[in-house]
Amino acid sequence: MGDNQEALAMITDQAGRLLEDAVTPQRLKSLLQKPGSFDRDLWLQTVGLGWAGAAVPEEAGGFGLGWEVLCALAGHLGAVTASLPLIQNTVLVDALAQADCGYSAVIEQLVSGEAIATLALFDQGDNGISDTPQLVYGSSGLNGVTAVAPFAAVAGFALVHALREDQSQPALLLVALDQKGVKRDLRNCIDNARGAAALDFANATATPVAVGDGASSLLMRVAARAVIATAFEQVGGAGSCLQSACDYARERKVFGQPIGAFQGIKHKLADIYADIEIARGCALDALAALESNPRAALAYAAAARVTAITAYEHAARENIQVHGGIGVTWESAEHHYYRRSRSLALELGAAPYWRDVLVDHVELLAEGY
Amino acid sequence: MSQNDTRAYLASARAWLAEQAPAYSGAARRGLSVEEDLALGRRWLHLKSEHGYAAITMPKIYGGGGGTEIEKVIFTNEENNYDLPTGYFGISLGMPVPMLLKYASEEVLRELVPPAIRGEQIWCQLFSEPAAGSDLAALTMRATPDGDGWRLNGQKLWTSWAQYSDWGVVVVRTDPTVPKHAGLTYFYVDMKSPGVEVRVIPKLAGESEINEVFFNDVFVPDAQRMGGVGGGFKVAMETLMIERYAVSDEAVGGISVEKFVDLAMRTRINGQPALADGEVRRLIADTVAERQGLRSIHRRAMAAIAAGTEPGPEGAIRKLLGARRRQQVSAVAMDLLGVDGVIMTEGAQPTEDFTESWIESPPLRIAGGSDEILRNTIAEKVLGLPQDHRPDKGIPFNKLS
């Protein structure tokens, strides 16, 4: 454990410095301008440092630093609005390792960062994970269109949720995306840096990773883990917004005093601080639950999801207001966070869906010392 | 304190409470008059003092537990699971008595602290006035020199439990010719002194602990001064900071979210179970998630205290969020109860009854730092934002308009 803690501290420390230098406003703005953008240079740089395999167990070829390292890295990425498919790759590796049936070649590519993963689990017009997926997998292969998924524009592999025709039950499928039956539909989005695309499947080749009840429980495992790591990304982003708003409020003067001296501003910022600390608390508890209480992880993940969405949106939205006119210009960085807070709020299922999950599993949230 | 020690302490505290608390809580309190309930509370505190559970962090020689901060937090957490008559002593042992330990002579401590810890005497804190609450340094009650002591004249307000108090700590203005913070001095005072008059102020609902206290030429010996002449504001701030980490229960004295879920299961909206209603589900989810965040913060604060370090500033948000949440959840619960939600049941407790929980909510958002003051504290102390504009800064108190 001591070694792990040291390695963890080293890698996250390094991440903070690297991202601060590499992720410039200019770079972020150029990504925002074109649909399906992806910062491949940064990806290759971080892959070279082993980030893609940092959380993956050693037996699967990773560094075995656990979900804690993924969450810490996600926090750093969130703080500067960098978009890398770290969570997607790590979660897909975990899902394939769970299924345990000869995915070692795919796992290897994902751990090395040679391939990128996308979790294309959502149907068009559904804000959560459906029990009756719209994609169909049958004798003619995989057919249908997913909702927009982050990194689908650049991914080599997708995890999708489909109805298995012959058995009338849902299945989780692994799809190699560089094949004839797959079309990537790049749309202009609020946050083009996410490398997002809808996936259009026409008789595509796919491999079932899990079917029926197995698919449902694996899907929830995937969702919970992705949501927990994303919560750290959201808390990281929210923290940067609060920091930026406070810095500006100390500096900007009106009526002969800094705007931060007015209760209209300082109380707004105190409320954002409270939301962020609540979200951070839920995220930490959810991360701990992955180890200590896996049966309840979904409930803790739901609490982390709901509070992270609230905190990030609150912080990103009001940060622009605190900045006033300058905050609505293309030049300012505040809109990067405003965009990211909303795209992260939608990507893994929206707040109404996760509130429902939380209420359905509320009895799993236990308290003790 | 090691984790094993902590667990062992928790286990023995839990066992002791399970054995002793029922005779002093719940059904044992039902139907009691306030005087009877206070008497029960005194007996409970006395029993605790015999077992080292009263004033856990105070020295044994004065009747305290001689224990650590973490033991106090653990015990209080567990004690909060019972509906015990402890409220009368919260301020007494929470602020005035610890200040006494800091400022009074050994002789005074031996005389005054043990009866307070055993519940035989109660101390109150005379700070707020009609025109000085959040802005404490604006207080006007005067003390003028008289022989080897001082004469006190003026009025204090919102003094909790003054009607049962034997002693009090008081901040008064000794010099109106200097800026407001500099002219204050801090004393302890015998509440049975001639010239002290206590009047209970009825609250909007529930038994009232709040009072106005009038001082008419009350004599206080200079030996009862705590801190220097003119140093009273500093001592008052120390008093307010003394509770390093306030241990309130999760529902801030109100009803739990689990009971709200139960209610939503057995009530209906438009013919459908209320628990299926989107608005109700949203409230449950947000309340539970917020509580989860607060639990995490609380657990980390406990770990910090156990490790002998200061808990982080995030502990300050517990009351800010919790009190508003209690008010909101209670109001929606009354919605679910329908028009009968307006009924007030005789003797109902806010931990059991939504209507009671709602109507007794407002003071929680004022006492111990109003919502606005708590936000100011977070903004200034944590986020480093500037103080509000203070036009009275540096001006002698008697020159302020």
Side-chain angles (χ1 to χ4, degrees), chain B residues 12-37:
Chain B
S12 60
R14 220 174 240 175
W16 188 80
L17 282 164
E19 193 183 326
Q20 304 292 345
Y24 297 84
S25 61
R29 294 179 68 191
R30 224 152 283 155
L32 296 187
S33 69
V34 184
E35 280 68 24
E36 291 166 334
D37 195 51

PDB file of all heavy atoms in Angstrom, chain B residues 12-37:
ATOM      1  N   SER B  12     -18.102   0.734  24.279  1.00  0.00           N
ATOM      2  CA  SER B  12     -18.514   0.850  25.682  1.00  0.00           C
ATOM      3  C   SER B  12     -19.515   1.989  25.874  1.00  0.00           C
ATOM      4  O   SER B  12     -20.446   1.874  26.666  1.00  0.00           O
ATOM      5  CB  SER B  12     -17.299   0.983  26.603  1.00  0.00           C
ATOM      6  OG  SER B  12     -16.561   2.127  26.269  1.00  0.00           O
ATOM      7  N   ALA B  13     -19.334   3.087  25.100  1.00  0.00           N
ATOM      8  CA  ALA B  13     -20.304   4.191  25.194  1.00  0.00           C
ATOM      9  C   ALA B  13     -21.679   3.729  24.749  1.00  0.00           C
ATOM     10  O   ALA B  13     -22.700   4.015  25.387  1.00  0.00           O
ATOM     11  CB  ALA B  13     -19.830   5.362  24.334  1.00  0.00           C
ATOM     12  N   ARG B  14     -21.692   2.976  23.666  1.00  0.00           N
ATOM     13  CA  ARG B  14     -22.948   2.478  23.124  1.00  0.00           C
ATOM     14  C   ARG B  14     -23.658   1.576  24.134  1.00  0.00           C
ATOM     15  O   ARG B  14     -24.867   1.683  24.352  1.00  0.00           O
ATOM     16  CB  ARG B  14     -22.639   1.681  21.853  1.00  0.00           C
ATOM     17  CG  ARG B  14     -23.626   1.918  20.748  1.00  0.00           C
ATOM     18  CD  ARG B  14     -23.176   1.225  19.486  1.00  0.00           C
ATOM     19  NE  ARG B  14     -22.994   2.192  18.421  1.00  0.00           N
ATOM     20  CZ  ARG B  14     -22.516   1.885  17.210  1.00  0.00           C
ATOM     21  NH1 ARG B  14     -22.145   0.638  16.941  1.00  0.00           N
ATOM     22  NH2 ARG B  14     -22.399   2.810  16.288  1.00  0.00           N
ATOM     23  N   ALA B  15     -22.870   0.693  24.719  1.00  0.00           N
ATOM     24  CA  ALA B  15     -23.452  -0.260  25.686  1.00  0.00           C
ATOM     25  C   ALA B  15     -23.988   0.481  26.900  1.00  0.00           C
ATOM     26  O   ALA B  15     -25.087   0.191  27.396  1.00  0.00           O
ATOM     27  CB  ALA B  15     -22.386  -1.276  26.101  1.00  0.00           C
ATOM     28  N   TRP B  16     -23.210   1.464  27.362  1.00  0.00           N
ATOM     29  CA  TRP B  16     -23.636   2.221  28.545  1.00  0.00           C
ATOM     30  C   TRP B  16     -24.929   2.979  28.259  1.00  0.00           C
ATOM     31  O   TRP B  16     -25.865   2.974  29.056  1.00  0.00           O
ATOM     32  CB  TRP B  16     -22.527   3.197  28.967  1.00  0.00           C
ATOM     33  CG  TRP B  16     -22.818   3.868  30.269  1.00  0.00           C
ATOM     34  CD1 TRP B  16     -22.629   3.338  31.521  1.00  0.00           C
ATOM     35  CD2 TRP B  16     -23.375   5.178  30.465  1.00  0.00           C
ATOM     36  NE1 TRP B  16     -23.026   4.240  32.483  1.00  0.00           N
ATOM     37  CE2 TRP B  16     -23.495   5.373  31.869  1.00  0.00           C
ATOM     38  CE3 TRP B  16     -23.784   6.186  29.607  1.00  0.00           C
ATOM     39  CZ2 TRP B  16     -24.010   6.558  32.418  1.00  0.00           C
ATOM     40  CZ3 TRP B  16     -24.288   7.359  30.152  1.00  0.00           C
ATOM     41  CH2 TRP B  16     -24.400   7.536  31.547  1.00  0.00           C
ATOM     42  N   LEU B  17     -24.978   3.610  27.077  1.00  0.00           N
ATOM     43  CA  LEU B  17     -26.177   4.363  26.709  1.00  0.00           C
ATOM     44  C   LEU B  17     -27.385   3.439  26.565  1.00  0.00           C
ATOM     45  O   LEU B  17     -28.492   3.771  27.008  1.00  0.00           O
ATOM     46  CB  LEU B  17     -25.945   5.126  25.400  1.00  0.00           C
ATOM     47  CG  LEU B  17     -25.135   6.418  25.529  1.00  0.00           C
ATOM     48  CD1 LEU B  17     -24.632   6.880  24.170  1.00  0.00           C
ATOM     49  CD2 LEU B  17     -25.961   7.517  26.191  1.00  0.00           C
ATOM     50  N   ALA B  18     -27.154   2.276  25.965  1.00  0.00           N
ATOM     51  CA  ALA B  18     -28.266   1.343  25.760  1.00  0.00           C
ATOM     52  C   ALA B  18     -28.865   0.938  27.100  1.00  0.00           C
ATOM     53  O   ALA B  18     -30.076   0.737  27.236  1.00  0.00           O
ATOM     54  CB  ALA B  18     -27.788   0.113  24.994  1.00  0.00           C
ATOM     55  N   GLU B  19     -28.007   0.850  28.111  1.00  0.00           N
ATOM     56  CA  GLU B  19     -28.472   0.434  29.432  1.00  0.00           C
ATOM     57  C   GLU B  19     -29.146   1.590  30.177  1.00  0.00           C
ATOM     58  O   GLU B  19     -30.195   1.425  30.787  1.00  0.00           O
ATOM     59  CB  GLU B  19     -27.264  -0.070  30.221  1.00  0.00           C
ATOM     60  CG  GLU B  19     -27.632  -0.817  31.490  1.00  0.00           C
ATOM     61  CD  GLU B  19     -26.376  -1.221  32.262  1.00  0.00           C
ATOM     62  OE1 GLU B  19     -25.358  -1.526  31.589  1.00  0.00           O
ATOM     63  OE2 GLU B  19     -26.409  -1.206  33.494  1.00  0.00           O
ATOM     64  N   GLN B  20     -28.526   2.776  30.106  1.00  0.00           N
ATOM     65  CA  GLN B  20     -28.971   3.884  30.960  1.00  0.00           C
ATOM     66  C   GLN B  20     -29.964   4.843  30.298  1.00  0.00           C
ATOM     67  O   GLN B  20     -30.848   5.379  30.969  1.00  0.00           O
ATOM     68  CB  GLN B  20     -27.750   4.700  31.423  1.00  0.00           C
ATOM     69  CG  GLN B  20     -26.690   3.886  32.142  1.00  0.00           C
ATOM     70  CD  GLN B  20     -27.174   3.377  33.491  1.00  0.00           C
ATOM     71  OE1 GLN B  20     -28.184   3.852  34.019  1.00  0.00           O
ATOM     72  NE2 GLN B  20     -26.478   2.388  34.032  1.00  0.00           N
ATOM     73  N   ALA B  21     -29.791   5.101  29.002  1.00  0.00           N
ATOM     74  CA  ALA B  21     -30.542   6.195  28.368  1.00  0.00           C
ATOM     75  C   ALA B  21     -32.062   6.008  28.350  1.00  0.00           C
ATOM     76  O   ALA B  21     -32.793   6.990  28.502  1.00  0.00           O
ATOM     77  CB  ALA B  21     -30.012   6.438  26.960  1.00  0.00           C
ATOM     78  N   PRO B  22     -32.544   4.771  28.176  1.00  0.00           N
ATOM     79  CA  PRO B  22     -34.004   4.647  28.069  1.00  0.00           C
ATOM     80  C   PRO B  22     -34.776   5.242  29.248  1.00  0.00           C
ATOM     81  O   PRO B  22     -35.842   5.816  29.052  1.00  0.00           O
ATOM     82  CB  PRO B  22     -34.217   3.128  27.969  1.00  0.00           C
ATOM     83  CG  PRO B  22     -32.968   2.633  27.329  1.00  0.00           C
ATOM     84  CD  PRO B  22     -31.861   3.490  27.906  1.00  0.00           C
ATOM     85  N   ALA B  23     -34.242   5.158  30.452  1.00  0.00           N
ATOM     86  CA  ALA B  23     -34.962   5.667  31.617  1.00  0.00           C
ATOM     87  C   ALA B  23     -35.025   7.194  31.646  1.00  0.00           C
ATOM     88  O   ALA B  23     -35.744   7.780  32.462  1.00  0.00           O
ATOM     89  CB  ALA B  23     -34.295   5.156  32.893  1.00  0.00           C
ATOM     90  N   TYR B  24     -34.256   7.839  30.755  1.00  0.00           N
ATOM     91  CA  TYR B  24     -34.210   9.311  30.749  1.00  0.00           C
ATOM     92  C   TYR B  24     -34.705   9.904  29.424  1.00  0.00           C
ATOM     93  O   TYR B  24     -34.659  11.104  29.230  1.00  0.00           O
ATOM     94  CB  TYR B  24     -32.776   9.788  30.987  1.00  0.00           C
ATOM     95  CG  TYR B  24     -32.215   9.387  32.335  1.00  0.00           C
ATOM     96  CD1 TYR B  24     -31.639   8.139  32.528  1.00  0.00           C
ATOM     97  CD2 TYR B  24     -32.296  10.260  33.409  1.00  0.00           C
ATOM     98  CE1 TYR B  24     -31.134   7.766  33.768  1.00  0.00           C
ATOM     99  CE2 TYR B  24     -31.798   9.908  34.648  1.00  0.00           C
ATOM    100  CZ  TYR B  24     -31.216   8.653  34.819  1.00  0.00           C
ATOM    101  OH  TYR B  24     -30.719   8.301  36.052  1.00  0.00           O
ATOM    102  N   SER B  25     -35.127   9.054  28.499  1.00  0.00           N
ATOM    103  CA  SER B  25     -35.463   9.562  27.160  1.00  0.00           C
ATOM    104  C   SER B  25     -36.789   8.982  26.685  1.00  0.00           C
ATOM    105  O   SER B  25     -37.388   8.129  27.334  1.00  0.00           O
ATOM    106  CB  SER B  25     -34.345   9.187  26.178  1.00  0.00           C
ATOM    107  OG  SER B  25     -34.220   7.785  26.097  1.00  0.00           O
ATOM    108  N   GLY B  26     -37.219   9.459  25.526  1.00  0.00           N
ATOM    109  CA  GLY B  26     -38.404   8.908  24.866  1.00  0.00           C
ATOM    110  C   GLY B  26     -39.606   8.916  25.784  1.00  0.00           C
ATOM    111  O   GLY B  26     -40.042   9.954  26.268  1.00  0.00           O
ATOM    112  N   ALA B  27     -40.121   7.720  26.057  1.00  0.00           N
ATOM    113  CA  ALA B  27     -41.349   7.581  26.845  1.00  0.00           C
ATOM    114  C   ALA B  27     -41.194   8.200  28.239  1.00  0.00           C
ATOM    115  O   ALA B  27     -42.151   8.740  28.797  1.00  0.00           O
ATOM    116  CB  ALA B  27     -41.724   6.108  26.966  1.00  0.00           C
ATOM    117  N   ALA B  28     -39.982   8.137  28.789  1.00  0.00           N
ATOM    118  CA  ALA B  28     -39.752   8.671  30.135  1.00  0.00           C
ATOM    119  C   ALA B  28     -39.997  10.176  30.187  1.00  0.00           C
ATOM    120  O   ALA B  28     -40.226  10.741  31.254  1.00  0.00           O
ATOM    121  CB  ALA B  28     -38.324   8.357  30.580  1.00  0.00           C
ATOM    122  N   ARG B  29     -39.932  10.845  29.037  1.00  0.00           N
ATOM    123  CA  ARG B  29     -40.097  12.300  29.028  1.00  0.00           C
ATOM    124  C   ARG B  29     -41.506  12.728  28.653  1.00  0.00           C
ATOM    125  O   ARG B  29     -41.853  13.894  28.828  1.00  0.00           O
ATOM    126  CB  ARG B  29     -39.112  12.940  28.035  1.00  0.00           C
ATOM    127  CG  ARG B  29     -37.672  12.781  28.425  1.00  0.00           C
ATOM    128  CD  ARG B  29     -36.773  13.404  27.384  1.00  0.00           C
ATOM    129  NE  ARG B  29     -36.905  14.869  27.348  1.00  0.00           N
ATOM    130  CZ  ARG B  29     -36.377  15.620  26.387  1.00  0.00           C
ATOM    131  NH1 ARG B  29     -35.708  15.055  25.399  1.00  0.00           N
ATOM    132  NH2 ARG B  29     -36.526  16.938  26.407  1.00  0.00           N
ATOM    133  N   ARG B  30     -42.267  11.787  28.108  1.00  0.00           N
ATOM    134  CA  ARG B  30     -43.585  12.159  27.605  1.00  0.00           C
ATOM    135  C   ARG B  30     -44.481  12.669  28.729  1.00  0.00           C
ATOM    136  O   ARG B  30     -44.543  12.077  29.802  1.00  0.00           O
ATOM    137  CB  ARG B  30     -44.232  10.964  26.887  1.00  0.00           C
ATOM    138  CG  ARG B  30     -44.900  11.367  25.584  1.00  0.00           C
ATOM    139  CD  ARG B  30     -44.922  10.215  24.593  1.00  0.00           C
ATOM    140  NE  ARG B  30     -43.620  10.004  23.942  1.00  0.00           N
ATOM    141  CZ  ARG B  30     -43.233   8.831  23.435  1.00  0.00           C
ATOM    142  NH1 ARG B  30     -43.999   7.776  23.544  1.00  0.00           N
ATOM    143  NH2 ARG B  30     -42.068   8.731  22.846  1.00  0.00           N
ATOM    144  N   GLY B  31     -45.128  13.791  28.465  1.00  0.00           N
ATOM    145  CA  GLY B  31     -46.091  14.325  29.427  1.00  0.00           C
ATOM    146  C   GLY B  31     -45.448  15.095  30.576  1.00  0.00           C
ATOM    147  O   GLY B  31     -46.160  15.550  31.486  1.00  0.00           O
ATOM    148  N   LEU B  32     -44.142  15.251  30.597  1.00  0.00           N
ATOM    149  CA  LEU B  32     -43.496  15.994  31.687  1.00  0.00           C
ATOM    150  C   LEU B  32     -43.651  17.500  31.470  1.00  0.00           C
ATOM    151  O   LEU B  32     -43.623  17.975  30.339  1.00  0.00           O
ATOM    152  CB  LEU B  32     -42.003  15.669  31.748  1.00  0.00           C
ATOM    153  CG  LEU B  32     -41.584  14.239  32.079  1.00  0.00           C
ATOM    154  CD1 LEU B  32     -40.063  14.178  32.264  1.00  0.00           C
ATOM    155  CD2 LEU B  32     -42.294  13.745  33.335  1.00  0.00           C
ATOM    156  N   SER B  33     -43.776  18.235  32.568  1.00  0.00           N
ATOM    157  CA  SER B  33     -43.703  19.686  32.464  1.00  0.00           C
ATOM    158  C   SER B  33     -42.240  20.057  32.212  1.00  0.00           C
ATOM    159  O   SER B  33     -41.347  19.220  32.401  1.00  0.00           O
ATOM    160  CB  SER B  33     -44.183  20.327  33.764  1.00  0.00           C
ATOM    161  OG  SER B  33     -43.238  20.060  34.789  1.00  0.00           O
ATOM    162  N   VAL B  34     -41.998  21.307  31.817  1.00  0.00           N
ATOM    163  CA  VAL B  34     -40.620  21.716  31.555  1.00  0.00           C
ATOM    164  C   VAL B  34     -39.779  21.565  32.823  1.00  0.00           C
ATOM    165  O   VAL B  34     -38.636  21.120  32.767  1.00  0.00           O
ATOM    166  CB  VAL B  34     -40.563  23.172  31.055  1.00  0.00           C
ATOM    167  CG1 VAL B  34     -39.136  23.542  30.705  1.00  0.00           C
ATOM    168  CG2 VAL B  34     -41.455  23.360  29.865  1.00  0.00           C
ATOM    169  N   GLU B  35     -40.354  21.936  33.965  1.00  0.00           N
ATOM    170  CA  GLU B  35     -39.606  21.841  35.222  1.00  0.00           C
ATOM    171  C   GLU B  35     -39.228  20.382  35.522  1.00  0.00           C
ATOM    172  O   GLU B  35     -38.104  20.094  35.943  1.00  0.00           O
ATOM    173  CB  GLU B  35     -40.415  22.428  36.388  1.00  0.00           C
ATOM    174  CG  GLU B  35     -40.374  23.952  36.478  1.00  0.00           C
ATOM    175  CD  GLU B  35     -41.100  24.651  35.318  1.00  0.00           C
ATOM    176  OE1 GLU B  35     -42.004  24.021  34.709  1.00  0.00           O
ATOM    177  OE2 GLU B  35     -40.750  25.802  35.013  1.00  0.00           O
ATOM    178  N   GLU B  36     -40.198  19.482  35.282  1.00  0.00           N
ATOM    179  CA  GLU B  36     -39.909  18.052  35.520  1.00  0.00           C
ATOM    180  C   GLU B  36     -38.857  17.541  34.546  1.00  0.00           C
ATOM    181  O   GLU B  36     -37.985  16.754  34.907  1.00  0.00           O
ATOM    182  CB  GLU B  36     -41.205  17.233  35.371  1.00  0.00           C
ATOM    183  CG  GLU B  36     -42.213  17.496  36.467  1.00  0.00           C
ATOM    184  CD  GLU B  36     -43.606  16.947  36.139  1.00  0.00           C
ATOM    185  OE1 GLU B  36     -43.948  16.818  34.938  1.00  0.00           O
ATOM    186  OE2 GLU B  36     -44.347  16.661  37.087  1.00  0.00           O
ATOM    187  N   ASP B  37     -38.959  18.011  33.288  1.00  0.00           N
ATOM    188  CA  ASP B  37     -38.004  17.573  32.271  1.00  0.00           C
ATOM    189  C   ASP B  37     -36.592  18.073  32.604  1.00  0.00           C
ATOM    190  O   ASP B  37     -35.611  17.340  32.467  1.00  0.00           O
ATOM    191  CB  ASP B  37     -38.445  18.105  30.902  1.00  0.00           C
ATOM    192  CG  ASP B  37     -37.738  17.400  29.759  1.00  0.00           C
ATOM    193  OD1 ASP B  37     -37.743  16.148  29.736  1.00  0.00           O
ATOM    194  OD2 ASP B  37     -37.163  18.093  28.893  1.00  0.00           O
TER     195      ASP B  37
END
